[in-house]
């Protein structure tokens, strides 16, 4: 069920414990083969599948498409906002939700650069609204064990414009993929304690721009192993876990 498709009168009949989901995404470069709206398209794809399963058991807010992508700004077309702007703007949207009486909020993240500030929002907003539940879900972390079983690439093969994101776009928006420009593995290693990918975390964090991580290609990972069939497996794994978490929030009231 989509927030913006309801009339104001129709809100009166809604159970205020219904989980409300807000996707935060990104408009940023995704190498030569994927469009700049990739994180938006992937987030929207998961939400479409979730809505198809859960119907009026979930309330989905309009996506926040432009978020924190400063580390991609060396690549043309990327749009970004400051972390402070994210905290204020996304926080204000969620304040509106709470003022209308909703008590279960899920921040659903489809972009790596939103993770840190999303956690800050989770903790600051949650501490102010202790009569509500707020959760943050980043899709590749949410289904990490299941996704590890799906991947074919080795370490660093799933990162950005990679095996997973390219597979999802081949499924969700195949006409947008520049297939002839899909390349091979691209990842510039750094200190052993800071090397990481989507699923396999590092021991410590080191700031690097996407230009540094990709060696200028804009791709971090191995898109050559991507298929639409794999995109379907990824989708099922992620949406299974989304449904489980969201259903558990609703039942807890």
């Amino acid at each position: 069920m989509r927030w913006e498709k309801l009339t104001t009168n129709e809100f009166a009949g809604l159970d205020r414990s219904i989980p409300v989901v807000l996707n935060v995404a990104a408009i940023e470069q995704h190498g030569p083969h994927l469009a700049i709206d990739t994180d938006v398209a992937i987030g929207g794809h998961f939400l479409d599948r979730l809505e198809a399963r859960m119907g009026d058991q979930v309330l989905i807010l309009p996506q926040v498409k432009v978020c924190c992508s400063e580390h991609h700004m060396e690549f043309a077309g990327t749009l970004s906002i400051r972390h402070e702007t994210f905290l204020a703007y996304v926080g204000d949207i969620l304040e509106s939700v709470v003022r209308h009486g909703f008590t279960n909020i899920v921040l659903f993240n489809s972009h790596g650069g939103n993770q840190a500030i999303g956690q800050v929002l989770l903790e600051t907003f949650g501490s102010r609204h202790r009569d509500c539940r707020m959760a943050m879900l980043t899709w590749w972390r949410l289904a990490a064990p299941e996704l590890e079983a799906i991947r074919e690439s080795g370490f660093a093969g799933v990162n950005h414009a990679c095996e997973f994101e390219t597979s999802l776009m081949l499924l969700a928006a195949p006409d947008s993929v520049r297939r002839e420009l899909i390349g091979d593995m691209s990842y510039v290693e750094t200190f052993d304690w800071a090397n990481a990918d989507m699923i396999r975390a590092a021991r410590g964090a080191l700031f690097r721009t996407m230009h540094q991580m990709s060696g200028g290609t804009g791709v971090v990972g191995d898109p050559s192993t991507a298929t639409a069939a794999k995109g379907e497996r990824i989708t099922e794994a992620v949406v299974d876990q989304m449904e489980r978490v969201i259903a558990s929030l609703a039942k807890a009231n």
Side-chain angles (χ1 to χ4, degrees), residues 18-87:
I18 184 173
V20 180
V21 180
L22 175 61
N23 175 226
V24 289
I27 298 292
E28 65 182 26
Q29 73 81 29
H30 273 76
H33 66 287
L34 295 181
I36 286 171
D37 72 344
T38 290
D39 290 344
V40 174
I42 288 173
H45 168 67
F46 288 140
L47 292 177
D48 286 345
R49 289 292 188 92
L50 181 71
E51 184 182 24
R53 288 194 189 188
M54 299 193 73
D56 61 5
Q57 299 174 67
V58 65
L59 185 55
I60 299 170
L61 289 160
Q63 291 173 283
V64 178
K65 296 183 178 182
V66 179
C67 291
C68 301
S69 298
E70 180 62 34
H71 53 304
H72 289 268
M73 284 301 293
E74 290 167 284
F75 295 94
T78 298
L79 301 176
S80 187
I81 61 173
R82 293 177 295 116
H83 289 101
E84 297 87 349
T85 304
F86 179 102
L87 196 62

Side-chain angles (χ1 to χ4, degrees), residues 152-173:
E152 293 181 79
S153 59
F155 178 74
V158 290
N159 245 312
H160 180 76
C162 58
E163 175 186 1
F164 282 1
E165 289 193 324
T166 304
S167 292
L168 286 165
M169 291 301 285
L170 286 170
L171 174 68

Side-chain angles (χ1 to χ4, degrees), residues 190-195 202-203:
T190 184
F191 302 105
D192 59 0
W193 50 265
N195 285 316
R203 293 177 181 268

Side-chain angles (χ1 to χ4, degrees), residues 48-162:
D48 286 345
R49 289 292 188 92
L50 181 71
E51 184 182 24
R53 288 194 189 188
M54 299 193 73
D56 61 5
Q57 299 174 67
V58 65
L59 185 55
I60 299 170
L61 289 160
Q63 291 173 283
V64 178
K65 296 183 178 182
V66 179
C67 291
C68 301
S69 298
E70 180 62 34
H71 53 304
H72 289 268
M73 284 301 293
E74 290 167 284
F75 295 94
T78 298
L79 301 176
S80 187
I81 61 173
R82 293 177 295 116
H83 289 101
E84 297 87 349
T85 304
F86 179 102
L87 196 62
Y89 183 67
V90 178
D92 282 352
I93 294 171
L94 298 184
E95 288 286 351
S96 297
V97 172
V98 169
R99 287 177 64 183
H100 292 303
F102 294 94
T103 57
N104 282 317
I105 297 171
V106 177
L107 189 66
F108 177 58
N109 178 37
S110 57
H111 166 54
N114 296 335
Q115 291 180 102
I117 195 62
Q119 185 68 29
V120 173
L121 178 61
L122 175 74
E123 299 196 17
T124 55
F125 189 89
S127 67
R128 287 199 308 273
H129 297 285
R130 301 191 184 193
D131 54 339
C132 298
R133 291 191 189 89
M134 182 176 175
M136 179 179 170
L137 309 176
T138 294
W139 68 260
W140 56 91
R141 289 187 171 181
L142 175 65
E146 295 80 10
L147 296 177
E148 180 65 37
I150 293 171
R151 71 184 294 166
E152 293 181 79
S153 59
F155 178 74
V158 290
N159 245 312
H160 180 76
C162 58

Side-chain angles (χ1 to χ4, degrees), residues 192-206:
D192 59 0
W193 50 265
N195 285 316
D197 69 17
M198 277 180 168
I199 308 301
R200 301 173 187 174
R203 293 177 181 268
L206 177 73

